[in-house]
Amino acid sequence: GGGEATGGGEATGRGEATGGGPAPPVVPLRPPQCEGSVELLGASGGTAIVQCSSLRRPPSVWAVKDGGEWTCLVDVGSLVEKHDAGPHCEQARAALRELRSARLEKVRLPEEEGGSEALCLLPAGASRAPWTLKIHGGPHSASLDSWSVEVALLLASGVCVIQPNYRGSIGFGDDFCAALPGHVGEMDVGDCVALTLASLAQLDESLDPARGGAYGGSHGGFLTAWLLGCEERALYSCGVLWNPVVDLPAMLGTTDIPEWVSAEGLQGDAAGAGATWPVGAEDLLELHRRSPLSVIDRVEAPALMLLGAADQRVPHKQGRSWVSALQQVRQRKGAPADVTALEFPGEGHAIASLEGNAHAQQSAVAWLVERLRGESNAS
């Protein structure tokens, strides 16, 4: 089953047993008045260092020794409030104040429908606002109530953000996580669509069903490509794909983790146990059926492709092939493809350099905002 969602990560600590007695119980390492997620950065000599953040508050770093009083070492929000080096600082302060007033809602599917859930962040007073389904990768990862620059920028631009935790996400129990292998391109796509519809129904006064997009990287890009070509594709008027998996058979001979392809795309588990390796002809057909490239002829929405040219996890030829196929399909239909590709030389899967990452994130957000807020009923 889906288990109970936490809405954020929680670091824990355990004292060492002394004198042969039992060890003290595990206790949460959460500084006072810290909402959202807590990440343990390190522990040594009885001192623990953690980072706290939420979707509405930027990170702060705290220290505690031997279970005593917490000390705040760095608070990014306070630094922004105190710093004064021009008009951009005031803009940043205004954005953080608006972010702190944002509304965080949880949407959950019934257990009989899989029990997936989503975190929805909406600007205060949002009314028929545009939205983006921001999809995590992995797929065995999770969307948490933790700081995200992209979410903050989208919210500051008036775009609501829906973060789905589809089946296969971690943090909801072993059964929930293990349900996805062998069912990618089907179960995870269905959960994303169902969570989109549930969010639009639960937050109907806040979200405009006609102004929605999808954005994801890696497996999140795989799902974005699927959503743009699935039966319910009319829900998503545009999409951003960051180093996406689009062609599972082609991944086998190019990725640095070919076993991931068979484990996730065929009937195996996340460790590869039970999956056929090497794959046979029937398996290749099954992998193609589960690939978003198989529905490229249905894609009509505008798309932005972000690619790291040195990506070994999901080689950039994956994204290039999707762009090329879309252009060919649209040309045959007599309509140009509305697709833009940005490729970052020397960058890997995360496009991790300071300059490259900032460029990629700003490009994704600006592109989404232009298309989602550019509709006729945008405020």
Side-chain angles (χ1 to χ4, degrees):
E4 186 61 36
T6 61
E10 185 77 75
T12 59
R14 181 191 297 275
E16 297 181 0
T18 57
V26 174
V27 295
L29 287 176
R30 180 177 289 276
Q33 300 178 339
C34 282
E35 62 180 30
S37 299
V38 181
E39 178 185 359
L40 178 63
L41 300 180
S44 178
T47 298
I49 308 293
V50 302
Q51 176 177 283
C52 305
S53 73
S54 74
L55 289 167
R56 293 175 287 188
R57 289 185 178 272
S60 58
V61 178
W62 296 73
V64 64
K65 183 173 177 62
D66 297 328
E69 295 293 322
W70 285 93
T71 300
C72 182
L73 305 178
V74 178
D75 184 342
V76 174
S78 296
L79 291 176
V80 172
E81 289 292 342
K82 296 175 182 177
H83 191 61
D84 191 7
H88 295 302
C89 292
E90 183 52 42
Q91 292 175 354
R93 285 191 285 271
L96 287 182
R97 287 193 292 270
E98 184 176 343
L99 196 62
R100 284 195 288 270
S101 66
R103 195 165 107 236
L104 182 63
E105 299 283 349
K106 186 180 294 184
V107 174
R108 185 168 183 181
L109 301 180
E111 287 295 329
E112 57 269 23
E113 297 178 20
S116 298
E117 73 167 40
L119 295 174
C120 304
L121 194 65
L122 308 95
S127 177
R128 308 294 281 182
W131 52 272
T132 293
L133 189 76
K134 191 171 185 301
I135 315 168
H136 72 72
H140 307 295
S141 179
S143 291
L144 303 174
D145 182 9
S146 60
W147 178 252
S148 166
V149 171
E150 289 171 310
V151 172
L153 290 173
L154 285 166
L155 203 79
S157 302
V159 178
C160 305
V161 180
I162 305 171
Q163 296 194 139
N165 281 309
Y166 48 86
R167 276 173 287 181
S169 302
I170 60 175
F172 299 85
D174 290 342
D175 291 344
F176 189 87
C177 182
L180 183 60
H183 302 284
V184 296
E186 180 183 359
M187 179 183 290
D188 43 4
V189 176
D191 282 358
C192 285
V193 169
L195 285 168
T196 299
L197 292 171
S199 299
L200 291 173
Q202 181 175 319
L203 306 169
D204 61 320
E205 294 184 358
S206 300
L207 303 178
D208 184 347
R211 292 193 290 157
Y215 173 24
S218 195
H219 193 81
F222 170 91
L223 290 172
T224 299
W226 257 113
L227 294 175
L228 296 182
C230 72
E231 293 292 342
E232 299 83 0
R233 57 192 178 277
L235 287 169
Y236 311 98
S237 61
C238 60
V240 175
L241 305 88
W242 180 309
N243 283 327
V245 177
V246 299
D247 186 350
L248 290 170
M251 278 278 287
L252 284 169
T254 55
T255 179
D256 61 349
I257 51 169
E259 64 279 4
W260 176 90
V261 179
S262 59
E264 300 293 351
L266 303 173
Q267 292 296 326
D269 62 20
T276 303
W277 183 257
V279 300
E282 292 185 2
D283 291 333
L284 289 173
L285 290 174
E286 176 67 6
L287 289 172
H288 174 72
R289 187 181 73 82
R290 295 192 177 279
S291 299
L293 199 62
S294 67
V295 294
I296 192 70
D297 60 315
R298 300 179 187 171
V299 177
E300 296 182 353
L304 172 65
M305 181 72 67
L306 302 171
L307 299 172
D311 190 352
Q312 298 183 51
R313 182 59 39 91
V314 182
H316 70 291
K317 291 183 176 62
Q318 287 277 311
R320 281 189 166 195
S321 69
W322 191 86
V323 170
S324 177
L326 181 60
Q327 290 172 332
Q328 292 295 321
V329 167
R330 298 297 293 164
Q331 185 177 21
R332 288 198 297 270
K333 293 182 177 181
D338 189 354
V339 59
T340 301
L342 299 179
E343 190 167 299
F344 296 81
E347 295 284 359
H349 194 50
I351 310 182
S353 74
L354 185 62
E355 181 179 351
N357 194 263
H359 185 184
Q361 292 192 55
Q362 291 172 15
S363 297
V365 170
W367 189 91
L368 284 167
V369 170
E370 179 182 354
R371 276 146 189 82
L372 295 175
R373 289 186 57 85
E375 300 294 330
S376 59
N377 58 343
S379 58

